[in-house]
Amino acid sequence: MIRDYLNRRYILSRLEEFVYMAEKGNPLDTFFPPFPESRAGRLLNRLVNVYRRDMNDRDTLTAARELVARESQDNIRQKKQLTQNINHELKTPVSSINGYLETLINNPDLPQAQRDAFLRKCYEQSQRLSSLLADLSTITRMDEASDRIEKEDLSLSEVIGEAVSDMEPLAGRLAIINNFPAGRDIFGNHSLLYSIFRNLLENAIFYSKGTKVTVSLVSEDESGYELSIEDDGVGIDSVHLDRIFERFYRVDKGRSRKIGGTGLGLSIVKNAVNLHGGTIKAVPVSPSGLRFEFSLARRS
Ligand code: ADP
């Protein structure tokens, strides 16, 4: 009798403790001990388990909501940053075109040689604008419609061959060595694949100051290809290596602008590689130079 009475009192005081925590929506202590073995105790233990599960679901839901909120804030921040960068990048060529045209209009007696020089500069800047707009449209296409990018069966060897022969006239004294074997196929998007090789070769030509750039197939299996594009030029300081794939990141701002780069080349390359199921990194080469190591899936 007395044992039953004490048991009931104990259950009641534990129940009070539980109701108090539940009313506050507090999580139950992991050490909240089970109710004693009895019909009421067993029912209460089941109730406690339901409460625990509910709290767990709520925690998972809250964590998921927080993650989504954080991601969308990051997204908004990145978009804002991109818009600011785009504005900044567009302003430079537009204001210099304005400046040259204004000078030409206000000074009709300018010597012909000077007029020609200004017109040439205008033309250069308008070309810069065109390549900026072309790069931006590629980036937007990859960002906004990545699931709608059309892919087809292609010869990867031929895409590489095309980029190599298009770049050869610009290479000057830098030799382009294409060691990628013939007959390697891929299911991919022609223009994005082409832009990977074109950008990497163009960079080696314009930035590396080296004597050669080599395209190689490092390994292959049934899932895809590991490739490298390596030059023996000046390379990139390790402080910049992790950042060169960011949009508008330039190692040497003055130099890149002068050459006409948009600062978007490597970010296009990275996106295009990702959209073909691969990853890319840049590795310093000893004694000097830069190697881009990347993979491409046969089907993505
Ligand atoms: P851009 O579109 O202006 O050419 P990228 O995104 O292609 O810019 O490249 C980013 C920066 O990385 C460039 O400003 C350049 O300084 C550097 N870079 C890229 N490739 C090489 C290379 N092969 N050797 C040395 N520097 C390079």
Side-chain angles (χ1 to χ4, degrees), residues 135 199-200 203-205 207-209 231 233-236 244-246 248-252 255-256 260-267 290 292:
D135 280 358
N199 271 303
L200 292 177
N203 281 354
I205 294 169
Y207 300 126
S208 80
K209 299 187 181 140
D231 67 59
V234 291
I236 292 181
I244 51 171
F245 294 101
E246 288 173 22
F248 295 114
Y249 191 82
R250 295 185 182 93
V251 173
D252 173 346
R255 187 175 56 152
S256 174
T262 60
L264 291 171
L266 288 177
S267 93
L290 192 63
F292 287 92

Side-chain angles (χ1 to χ4, degrees), residues 190-209:
H190 182 276
S191 84
L192 292 182
L193 286 169
Y194 176 83
S195 76
I196 297 174
F197 296 95
R198 189 191 162 103
N199 271 303
L200 292 177
L201 292 173
E202 210 169 42
N203 281 354
I205 294 169
F206 291 121
Y207 300 126
S208 80
K209 299 187 181 140

